[in-house]
Amino acid sequence: MHQFKRLAIAAAAASAFAVPAAHAEGVEFHGYLRSGVGTTSEGGDQKCFQIAPTKYRLGNECETYGELALSAPFGKSDGGPWAKYNLMLATIENNGQGDFESVNGGKFDIASRQNFFQAGGFFGKGAMEDAKIWIGKRYYNRHDVHITDNFYWNNSGLGGGIEDINAGAAKLAFAYHQNGNGNNSLSTRRLSARLYDIDVNPNGKLEGELVYLTGSTADKSPTAPNEGSGWALFVEHTQSGILNGFNKLALVYGADDAAGGSWNPTYSTADDGRKGAKEYRIVDQLYVDLKNGWSGMATVLYSDVKDAAGNKTKWFSIGARPQYNFTPNLSVAIEGGYDQVKSGGNTAKLAKLTVAPQYTLSGGFWARPAFRAFATYAKWNDAAGAQGGGVFAPDKNGMTYGLQVEAWW
């Protein structure tokens, strides 16, 4: 027995040394952080204003949120097959009371966001030459509006797939994702096909993704969850070169269990609970840099969701964040946004305006880290409910102000 253990240990050690080592010089470290402190015109902690799935962010974020990402390459650096390990952890505080916050105190949490391997160089010349395979949990085909943090299309999660297949006039990708892996729980499975990098006009590209999702459970009891299905379609046109920026126009359509909700299709649940539901969203965003100190982003959105019972929720949003750089390091950003959500017989309305002078290490809209002070004023109607946790009641307007840093690297 002891001899067998020694042989097993020796074999394991030999196998470990046979695995290609990660190149330390190629390890990458990336991250994101936003953190700040503030208060309201009524006193107390900073409060945020929101009536829709997303909100206009500037001077309107009440937590400390960070993402730390590491990637390690494997394989030979002179060509041939290669692989890369990717890990991302997120941290969030709501917002800290002192210099020590534990995960047991309800104020601080750590989350796994990405944990996957990607690889390529296996297929030789031809359409598969640049194709990459991946397995694990990852951000996949996420599209967002920066000033609202609106991820209007997000097909992330645990799965596997292949991407960057050369299909001539387009690139092609296929993916499989799966949500839920508990004991006898419902598992939502997503199959997707994606066409992208399609030249349709000068400086204009088109992409699209079709997702079909189904529910599956091993529970055969009378109380087993229902197994449903649905599908969603995403189409987006990106026009670059507009005033040194871009415009993105996107259409999202969902049916049955793929309709409704936020961050779809990542968080869609195929439990047959939305059979007959339909949703469409139109999102447009424009970013410009006038090269005279002015830059900025604007967005408009319309969403129409009909649930399984035929009830409708309509969401309209419009806003902009212009920025002027007095110097390469000093700028002021002004963000105005308006949201209107109509559901049943109620129409909630919320408008906010933020002024934020800020210092950055270089000029431009995307320069980070940004060290900013902000003052935010918001106004809403009765249907918008008690904004800011009710600290402004009975008034239907309020003001917050504070400091924030935002960075990515």
Side-chain angles (χ1 to χ4, degrees):
M1 177 64 73
H2 290 294
Q3 183 180 10
F4 175 77
K5 286 184 177 179
R6 287 194 296 270
L7 290 173
I9 294 171
S15 297
F17 284 116
V19 174
H23 302 296
E25 68 275 11
V27 173
E28 300 176 11
F29 174 59
H30 301 284
Y32 171 83
L33 174 68
R34 63 172 180 263
S35 182
V37 62
T39 186
T40 77
S41 53
E42 306 301 312
D45 293 333
Q46 181 190 352
K47 302 298 181 182
C48 286
F49 308 101
Q50 183 174 357
I51 62 170
T54 61
K55 63 183 186 292
Y56 289 87
R57 299 174 55 200
L58 187 66
N60 197 29
E61 294 175 305
C62 296
E63 73 284 327
T64 292
Y65 177 78
E67 293 177 340
L68 300 175
L70 289 172
S71 65
F74 292 76
K76 297 179 180 179
S77 59
D78 58 350
W82 58 270
K84 180 181 285 189
Y85 173 64
N86 301 272
L87 173 68
M88 177 185 286
L89 299 177
T91 63
I92 187 167
E93 294 184 60
N94 292 312
N95 234 338
Q97 298 294 313
D99 66 349
F100 182 86
E101 303 290 343
S102 77
V103 294
N104 297 320
K107 287 285 184 179
F108 176 73
D109 206 356
I110 300 176
S112 168
R113 301 304 307 268
Q114 299 193 82
N115 198 2
F116 73 100
F117 255 101
Q118 185 182 48
F122 298 117
F123 305 108
K125 300 294 184 180
M128 302 290 288
E129 182 176 358
D130 297 321
K132 305 173 184 66
I133 58 175
W134 63 271
I135 299 174
K137 181 167 69 173
R138 67 171 291 190
Y139 290 167
Y140 184 79
N141 200 25
R142 304 198 322 164
H143 296 258
D144 75 301
V145 178
H146 171 70
I147 63 174
T148 59
D149 223 16
N150 177 16
F151 284 83
Y152 50 91
W153 182 259
N154 180 25
N155 191 20
S156 301
L158 181 66
I162 185 168
E163 58 191 352
D164 290 342
I165 301 171
N166 188 346
K171 290 183 179 179
L172 184 62
F174 299 96
Y176 170 81
H177 289 88
Q178 183 170 308
N179 289 0
N181 200 22
N183 183 27
N184 289 338
S185 67
L186 181 74
S187 174
T188 297
R189 302 170 175 179
R190 308 193 310 269
L191 290 170
S192 68
R194 181 161 62 107
L195 280 171
Y196 54 103
D197 204 20
I198 307 170
D199 292 316
V200 290
N201 63 285
N203 297 319
K205 291 184 179 291
L206 188 70
E207 70 171 290
E209 184 173 21
L210 179 65
V211 175
Y212 178 71
L213 55 91
T214 59
S216 176
T217 179
D219 188 350
K220 306 304 179 184
S221 71
T223 59
N226 294 325
E227 297 177 335
S229 63
W231 63 275
L233 174 67
F234 163 75
V235 180
E236 181 172 80
H237 178 267
T238 300
Q239 186 68 45
S240 59
I242 299 179
L243 298 175
N244 305 298
F246 61 80
N247 186 84
K248 294 184 177 182
L249 176 62
L251 170 67
V252 177
Y253 182 85
D256 298 324
D257 284 334
S262 302
W263 295 70
N264 282 350
T266 297
Y267 293 109
S268 296
T269 301
D271 59 1
D272 209 30
R274 285 177 284 181
K275 190 173 183 178
K278 297 185 184 302
E279 169 193 19
Y280 72 87
R281 274 173 287 160
I282 300 174
V283 184
D284 189 81
Q285 59 176 310
L286 172 68
Y287 159 69
V288 299
D289 183 354
L290 302 184
K291 301 298 184 181
N292 60 0
W294 284 101
S295 59
M297 175 174 282
T299 184
V300 61
L301 171 149
Y302 181 77
S303 170
D304 190 314
V305 179
K306 184 185 75 171
D307 65 18
N311 302 310
K312 282 194 172 185
T313 299
K314 297 181 179 181
W315 170 29
F316 172 74
S317 181
I318 187 169
R321 186 195 296 182
Q323 176 178 311
Y324 182 74
N325 273 81
F326 300 99
T327 72
N329 306 114
L330 175 62
S331 64
V332 61
I334 302 173
E335 183 181 270
Y338 174 78
D339 284 300
Q340 177 178 298
V341 180
K342 183 178 181 180
S343 182
N346 296 318
T347 301
K349 300 178 181 180
L350 171 67
K352 62 85 77 172
L353 178 68
T354 300
V355 178
Q358 54 190 9
Y359 281 105
T360 56
L361 302 186
S362 59
F365 185 82
W366 304 106
R368 298 295 186 278
F371 302 86
R372 56 175 69 115
F374 65 85
T376 297
Y377 174 79
K379 186 175 182 179
W380 57 92
N381 66 354
D382 287 335
Q387 292 295 306
V391 301
F392 303 104
D395 295 335
K396 298 298 183 293
N397 61 83
M399 188 170 183
T400 64
Y401 48 92
L403 304 171
Q404 189 198 46
V405 62
E406 183 183 39
W408 53 67
W409 62 93

